[in-house]
């Protein structure tokens, strides 16, 4: 083959690659989300029944809300990374050639980070650990680079490369090199979509004491500048959405980007995102709940940005006063004898072994959006014949992923909005 023919072939190959990459980006694309308790998950525990899984999820939620609260009340600069006890996993590939790993999708985190060889300290991982020396597209970021300078919690090594420290408040979770590499997602239509020069934290010291054996790390879709969603905002039109199913469903959840993430149609309702103190969390404004015809206001005055919507927390937490008033209103509408949660986690529980259960209609009134909550999302079975209100009192408000199930939830980072639309996520 002469030089001209080789050049022509090279140009044609690059053209085909660009076309194959741009088509799914222009039209949007969808990837599969795997619940951590699903049989498809690398963390699946077949010996545990559905009630044990509910209890485990609640305990993870309590651990996570403690970390989120600690971070939200301080203004010190830490790289925002949430606990490895996330709930929905994504399979993706890193490097060239692509190396498959699993990461927890987290709307409360910015950085994409994973465990890397050579590990000085790594927690047990169900899949092989990524070795950056085998990737031709991997590059450490120098300390003088704007990405390093704009990332909190970074430092320089002796060779002048940027190191990150990812913390939960005062506890180190991951430490390593801030780098760039190619991140590849497998679309549900069979195409692979690659994102070259994605900022990645390659962790060589990773603390597993917070979460035990886990995934490779985190895929941050938070609201900060180092988030995957923010970095690739122009390619995905600033839009992503998800449709979540429960861990007991045979279907899988979906994560959409670009045009595929647009949420519109009958029943779609939109509320603004409120940014706070440079934090990565998505804050919304919850004005009230209604239980049947009774309105329970958040409190006076209703401050903008008073609740975090979070994909990594299972259950919903409300400030003590609001929770107590909501619990009372729900209890007024249920004519059954209350029982105690044997696990001591939930406050409002009922024995429905011998009778049916008519749950009250609960609507969450956000600024500009009234969202009807599905009964399967507001009550949870914690034992044979025992159901509980799936909310808990706390020092802050977090909208967990359970009440987001059976909804298409869309984030628009250009318009700074979140849109909800009732949807059968199993279809």
């Amino acid at each position: 083959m002469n030089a001209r023919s080789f050049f022509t072939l090279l140009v044609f190959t690059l053209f085909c690659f660009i076309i194959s990459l741009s088509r799914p980006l222009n039209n949007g694309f969808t990837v599969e989300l795997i619940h951590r308790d699903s049989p498809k998950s690398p963390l699946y525990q077949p010996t545990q029944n559905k009630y044990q899984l509910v209890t485990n999820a609640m305990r993870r939620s309590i651990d996570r809300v403690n970390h989120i609260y600690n971070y939200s009340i301080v203004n010190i600069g830490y790289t925002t990374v949430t606990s490895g006890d996330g709930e929905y996993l994504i399979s993706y590939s890193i490097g060239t050639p692509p190396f498959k790993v699993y990461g927890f999708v987290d709307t409360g985190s910015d950085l994409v980070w994973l465990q890397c060889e050579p590990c000085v300290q790594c927690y047990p991982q169900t899949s092989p650990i990524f070795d950056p020396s085998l990737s031709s597209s991997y590059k450490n970021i120098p300390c003088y680079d704007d990405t390093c300078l704009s990332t909190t919690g970074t430092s320089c090594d002796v060779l002048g490369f940027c190191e990150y420290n990812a913390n939960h408040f005062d506890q180190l979770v991951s430490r390593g090199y801030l780098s760039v590499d190619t991140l590849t997602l497998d679309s549900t239509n069979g195409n692979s979509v690659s994102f070259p020069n994605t900022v990645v934290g390659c962790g060589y010291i990773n603390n597993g004491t917070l979460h035990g054996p886990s995934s490779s790390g985190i895929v941050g879709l938070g609201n900060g500048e180092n988030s995957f969603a923010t970095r690739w905002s122009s390619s995905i039109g600033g839009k992503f959405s998800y449709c979540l199913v429960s861990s007991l469903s045979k279907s899988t959840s979906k994560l959409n980007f670009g045009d595929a993430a647009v949420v519109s149609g009958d029943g779609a309702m939109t509320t603004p995102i409120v940014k706070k103190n440079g934090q990565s969390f998505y804050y919304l404004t919850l004005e009230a709940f209604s239980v049947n015809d009774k309105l329970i206001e958040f409190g006076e005055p209703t401050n903008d940005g008073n609740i975090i919507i979070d994909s990594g927390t299972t259950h919903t937490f409300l400030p003590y006063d609001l929770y107590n008033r909501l619990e009372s209103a729900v209890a007024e509408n249920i004519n059954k004898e209350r029982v105690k949660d044997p696990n001591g986690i939930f406050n409002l529980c009922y024995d429905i072994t011998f009778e049916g259960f008519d749950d009250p209609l609960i609507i969450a009134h956000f600024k500009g959006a009234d969202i009807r909550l599905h009964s399967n999302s507001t009550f949870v079975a914690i034992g044979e014949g025992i159901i509980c209100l799936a909310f808990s009192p706390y020092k802050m408000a977090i909208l967990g992923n359970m009440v987001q199930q059976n909804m298409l939830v869309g984030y628009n980072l250009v318009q700074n909005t979140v849109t909800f639309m009732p949807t059968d996520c199993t279809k």
Side-chain angles (χ1 to χ4, degrees), residues 17 21 92-101 112 114 130 135-139 179-185 192-200 228 232:
F17 171 75
L21 177 62
Y92 69 98
S93 296
I94 192 75
T96 307
F99 183 89
K100 181 168 283 191
V101 293
V112 176
L114 68 160
F130 175 61
S135 172
S136 62
S137 51
Y138 176 90
K139 294 179 182 177
S179 61
V180 292
D181 207 340
T182 298
L183 188 150
T184 303
L185 298 174
S192 293
V193 186
S194 294
F195 297 87
N197 295 315
T198 296
V199 177
V200 175
F228 175 84
W232 288 99

Side-chain angles (χ1 to χ4, degrees), residues 361-410:
L361 171 62
I362 302 177
I363 297 176
H365 300 279
F366 294 95
K367 189 173 185 177
D370 299 327
I371 311 302
R372 177 173 178 166
L373 304 182
H374 197 281
S375 60
N376 290 339
S377 301
T378 53
F379 289 87
V380 60
I382 55 96
E384 287 295 336
I386 300 177
I387 62 164
C388 300
L389 180 66
F391 294 76
S392 292
Y394 194 68
K395 294 173 284 188
M396 67 183 302
I398 293 183
L399 189 74
N401 62 55
M402 187 173 177
V403 298
Q404 299 177 57
Q405 292 172 6
N406 292 308
M407 288 187 198
L408 185 57
V409 183

